[in-house]
């Protein structure tokens, strides 16, 4: 969301943005905050969570104008996608799911693309859980319900297609 500001400060840098399927990304955020994904309404201001997460759920700071937490997070993901896609000659876009398939190989490949030297074998660190693991077992429709899942799919449709998450 701060790409233009960062690019001004570091104009000769290589940028990397890691995307995750928006349905998994949003579910992960909600799991972390212990929030359900199938609610019709959520009063964000009354949640007992720290303010940066409230601001993320509202997403007003990135120009989102809805009052629904799922739509807000979907628009937020979509804004990030569009910012990267519209600047793709300056940004290397990668997928989190590709990282999960071969973590060390992914990092080595990314080092090559960014012209950075791969200095240390990270194999021993690839399976450490650095953040609380969310519950990814529920299907998207079971977690979000049909209406909320439809909102994500609609709002994020271009990015889902472009990143081939619809296959």
């Amino acid at each position: 969301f701060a790409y233009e500001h960062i690019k001004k400060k570091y104009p000769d840098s290589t940028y990397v943005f890691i995307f995750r399927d928006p349905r998994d990304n949003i579910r992960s955020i909600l799991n972390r905050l212990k929030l359900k994904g199938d609610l019709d309404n959520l009063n964000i201001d009354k949640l007992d969570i720290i303010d940066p997460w409230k601001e993320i759920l509202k997403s007003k700071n990135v120009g989102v104008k809805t009052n629904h937490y799922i739509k807000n997070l979907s628009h937020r993901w979509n804004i990030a996608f569009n910012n990267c896609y519209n600047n793709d000659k300056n940004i290397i876009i990668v997928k989190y799911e590709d990282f999960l398939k071969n973590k060390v190989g992914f990092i080595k490949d990314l080092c090559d693309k960014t012209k950075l030297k791969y200095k240390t074998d990270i194999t021993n660190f690839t399976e450490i859980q650095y953040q609380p693991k969310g519950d990814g077992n529920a299907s998207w429709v079971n977690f979000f319900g049909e209406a909320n899942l439809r909102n994500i799919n609609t709002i994020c449709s271009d990015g889902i297609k472009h990143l081939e998450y619809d296959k």
Side-chain angles (χ1 to χ4, degrees):
F1 303 103
Y3 171 71
E4 292 301 325
H5 299 290
I6 294 169
K7 187 175 183 305
K8 284 179 187 173
K9 183 86 171 160
Y10 306 100
D12 300 323
S13 294
T14 301
Y15 302 94
V16 176
F17 196 94
I18 302 171
F19 275 96
R20 186 176 187 187
D21 186 301
R23 295 153 295 207
D24 288 329
N25 184 223
I26 294 168
R27 178 175 56 191
S28 177
I29 290 168
L30 297 178
N31 280 170
R32 182 183 191 131
L33 300 174
K34 298 179 176 57
L35 298 173
K36 298 176 98 183
D38 59 353
L39 302 176
D40 293 329
N41 198 359
L42 179 67
N43 188 335
I44 296 168
D45 290 319
K46 292 192 177 188
L47 293 174
D48 186 23
I49 57 175
I50 57 176
D51 283 335
W53 283 111
K54 285 182 182 179
E55 293 307 312
I56 289 169
L57 290 172
K58 291 178 186 178
S59 294
K60 301 281 188 234
N61 61 339
V62 295
V64 175
K65 296 180 175 24
T66 75
N67 289 316
H68 193 276
Y69 72 119
I70 296 295
K71 290 180 183 178
N72 294 349
L73 292 171
S74 299
H75 282 295
R76 184 179 188 85
W77 187 95
N78 199 53
I79 289 166
F81 170 77
N82 285 326
N83 286 346
C84 291
Y85 184 72
N86 292 332
N87 293 290
D88 69 348
K89 61 184 168 273
N90 299 318
I91 299 174
I92 298 170
I93 298 173
V94 295
K95 292 171 30 177
Y96 177 72
E97 294 80 3
D98 293 338
F99 167 72
L100 292 179
K101 291 175 191 172
N102 178 3
K103 294 175 183 176
V104 173
F106 180 91
I107 297 294
K108 286 180 179 178
D109 184 54
L110 194 53
C111 286
D112 288 343
K113 288 178 181 175
T114 57
K115 298 179 176 75
L116 295 171
K117 184 179 178 187
Y118 182 82
K119 295 180 181 179
T120 306
D121 182 17
I122 62 164
T123 303
N124 293 334
F125 303 101
T126 61
E127 299 308 317
I128 296 171
Q129 189 69 41
Y130 291 96
Q131 294 184 22
K133 188 166 179 66
D135 179 12
N137 292 326
S139 71
W140 292 328
V141 73
N142 285 343
F143 184 82
F144 292 112
E146 289 184 21
N148 284 346
L149 181 58
R150 187 171 40 257
N151 283 324
I152 297 169
N153 289 337
T154 300
I155 293 166
C156 301
S157 64
D158 288 344
I160 288 171
K161 288 177 192 156
H162 181 79
L163 295 169
E164 299 180 343
Y165 284 131
D166 56 350
K167 293 184 177 188

